[in-house]
Amino acid sequence: MTAIRGDATPAQQNAPAGPGSAATDVAAAEKFLRAFHDAHPEAGELDPRLAEVRAEIARTGTYRHTPEELAYGARVALRDSGWCTSGVPWRRLLVRDLRGLRNATTVAKECFEHLRLATNAGRIQPLISVFAPDTPHEPGPRIWNEQVVRYAGYAGPGGEVLGDARYVGFTAAAQRLGWRPPKTRGRFDHLPLVVETAHEGPRTFTVPRDLVQEVPLEHPDLPWFYKLGLRWHSVPLVSNMRLLIGGITYPAAPFNTWFVGTEIGTRALADEMAYGFIREVADRIGLDTTSERTLWRDRAIVEINRAVLYSFDSARVTITDHHSETLHRLAWLRTAPEEGTERPAFVAGGEADRRARKGAPACFPLVARTATARATGEPG
């Protein structure tokens, strides 16, 4: 799934991002609250809530969303982000309010619980888990991983890669943080979850193997396909995008819908910058790979994507195809809000993208952690 609205607007880019940042923008808060009350007249009178929020911002530099405001903002953000796949009833999305959690261990534990709930025996349940926000006084936790379940990539001495080449840098960074890969390395080794907080720094957590449902891939017409040993995890739990609602930034708000088949087949398994199985599949089919004009890549990609959809359907795991998704996205584009309207949004950042692929840079400097440790009596 590729986000259509992946970049922040100028106003969103200036949203509070940690200690010492500006107070929450009152205008952004008011605009969101007006939209919420328009959508939910049962929430009561708007003016008293506006007065309450203005006073809270004046007193503390920020404000706290009610559970109903949080749920509305998260659902609208997912609906308008371009990540809401066809068939997802966004108004009924389950929003897990975990704003009281700031420590890495509890964040990781709840990410794993999210994965369990979302898997739902293959009938994928769309969920959003929202952890502590950034405030002018304390930053919220960050998750480095692009998705909670990703596969390791190991670089060999000759430049060859075992596993997912997109995550060679992240794999090496995780090892520097103390993660140890399996003794016998494979193409589908699960990377650890990396959670960083200002007071703890980055920490690694092994994703429980029994929570990761994977689908072995076979082809409806090519009996040899299953011998390739390919598989993929069933839940795309996106974990490194910021959730912006009414001037407040939630830096850790993992969410999932379900996979579009081409995200697995085209962008992961076929792409030579990821797994690069396209040429092996083409050779086994017997395609002429001596010239690009034979369109051997196109033909091989079609068969890989057929295998993905067939295997997920056979395993009764929810998935959608790219043609259905294109029609859904076109319908969404006709009604999508204009850019710059500062509506709730999921936003990807340049540094977050680099962390997801390279494992750097860290979110918080060591000096900040040391100062916090001295204040709390914890090791720095």
Side-chain angles (χ1 to χ4, degrees):
M1 300 180 298
T2 300
I4 295 174
R5 296 178 64 197
D7 296 324
T9 65
Q12 291 166 342
Q13 289 171 345
N14 292 327
S21 59
T24 298
D25 183 354
V26 175
E30 291 186 357
K31 186 170 186 177
F32 166 72
L33 292 171
R34 293 181 190 279
F36 169 74
H37 279 261
D38 284 346
H40 294 278
E42 74 280 3
E45 294 293 326
L46 171 62
D47 287 344
R49 178 58 176 152
L50 290 176
E52 179 183 27
V53 167
R54 292 189 193 107
E56 190 175 356
I57 293 174
R59 185 176 67 255
T60 68
T62 187
Y63 71 106
R64 181 177 175 83
H65 291 126
T66 66
E68 294 77 16
E69 290 165 357
L70 177 71
Y72 170 76
R75 288 164 180 159
V76 169
L78 184 58
R79 181 197 68 186
D80 292 347
S81 69
W83 286 77
C84 193
T85 48
S86 57
V88 173
W90 67 271
R91 288 184 179 85
R92 299 196 301 275
L93 288 178
L94 178 60
V95 179
R96 304 177 71 226
D97 185 352
L98 303 172
R99 288 176 289 173
L101 303 184
R102 290 184 178 273
N103 290 332
T105 299
T106 52
V107 170
K109 178 181 176 181
E110 289 301 333
C111 284
F112 301 150
E113 175 65 6
H114 181 139
L115 183 61
R116 185 190 70 80
L117 294 171
T119 302
N120 192 32
R123 299 183 300 276
I124 307 302
Q125 170 64 56
L127 301 173
I128 301 171
S129 296
V130 184
F131 296 102
D134 283 338
T135 74
H137 315 291
E138 186 177 14
R142 268 69 169 166
I143 300 172
W144 286 19
N145 308 58
E146 187 176 49
Q147 292 185 23
V148 169
V149 180
R150 295 275 81 172
Y151 296 114
Y154 307 105
E160 70 281 4
V161 174
L162 174 66
D164 195 332
R166 295 174 295 181
Y167 302 108
V168 167
F170 189 98
T171 302
Q175 290 178 270
R176 290 193 294 271
L177 289 172
W179 175 69
R180 295 292 177 262
K183 291 183 179 179
T184 302
R185 299 181 181 186
R187 297 178 298 182
F188 297 97
D189 295 343
H190 298 155
L191 283 167
L193 185 69
V194 180
V195 181
E196 183 179 0
T197 65
H199 60 286
E200 299 167 293
R203 297 183 59 190
T204 64
F205 299 89
T206 299
V207 180
R209 182 66 186 85
D210 62 331
L211 294 183
V212 183
Q213 181 186 40
E214 292 178 304
V215 178
L217 301 186
E218 55 183 328
H219 193 283
D221 302 321
L222 303 173
W224 51 262
F225 196 95
Y226 81 95
K227 295 181 181 179
L228 296 175
L230 307 184
R231 62 179 184 264
W232 207 257
H233 59 96
S234 63
V235 180
L237 179 45
V238 180
S239 50
N240 72 332
M241 298 183 76
R242 294 181 293 149
L243 172 60
L244 310 182
I245 303 176
I248 294 179
T249 298
Y250 297 95
F255 65 91
N256 75 280
T257 56
W258 41 70
F259 273 117
V260 179
T262 50
E263 179 69 15
I264 302 169
T266 302
R267 295 178 186 146
L269 298 177
D271 194 333
E272 292 173 341
M273 299 300 292
Y275 274 93
F277 283 108
I278 186 170
R279 189 172 292 272
E280 181 174 355
V281 170
D283 288 341
R284 284 178 174 263
I285 294 174
L287 301 178
D288 179 4
T289 61
T290 61
S291 171
E292 297 296 339
R293 295 184 70 82
T294 66
L295 301 184
W296 64 270
R297 295 179 189 275
D298 304 69
R299 295 170 66 186
I301 284 174
V302 166
E303 299 308 330
I304 294 172
N305 283 319
R306 285 185 67 198
V308 170
L309 294 175
Y310 173 78
S311 301
F312 270 65
D313 288 344
S314 297
R316 297 184 179 179
V317 174
T318 312
I319 196 169
T320 186
D321 64 89
H322 61 288
H323 291 294
S324 298
E325 201 57 31
T326 297
L327 295 175
H328 169 69
R329 297 292 174 89
L330 288 173
W332 172 79
L333 285 170
R334 286 192 287 269
T335 60
E338 294 181 3
E339 294 287 350
T341 57
E342 297 185 33
R343 294 170 62 87
F346 282 100
V347 176
E351 286 196 352
D353 291 340
R354 287 192 290 276
R355 275 189 291 274
R357 297 300 176 95
K358 304 296 184 183
C363 304
F364 306 110
L366 178 61
V367 64
R369 297 202 301 274
T370 303
T372 304
R374 291 197 191 101
T376 60
E378 297 178 357

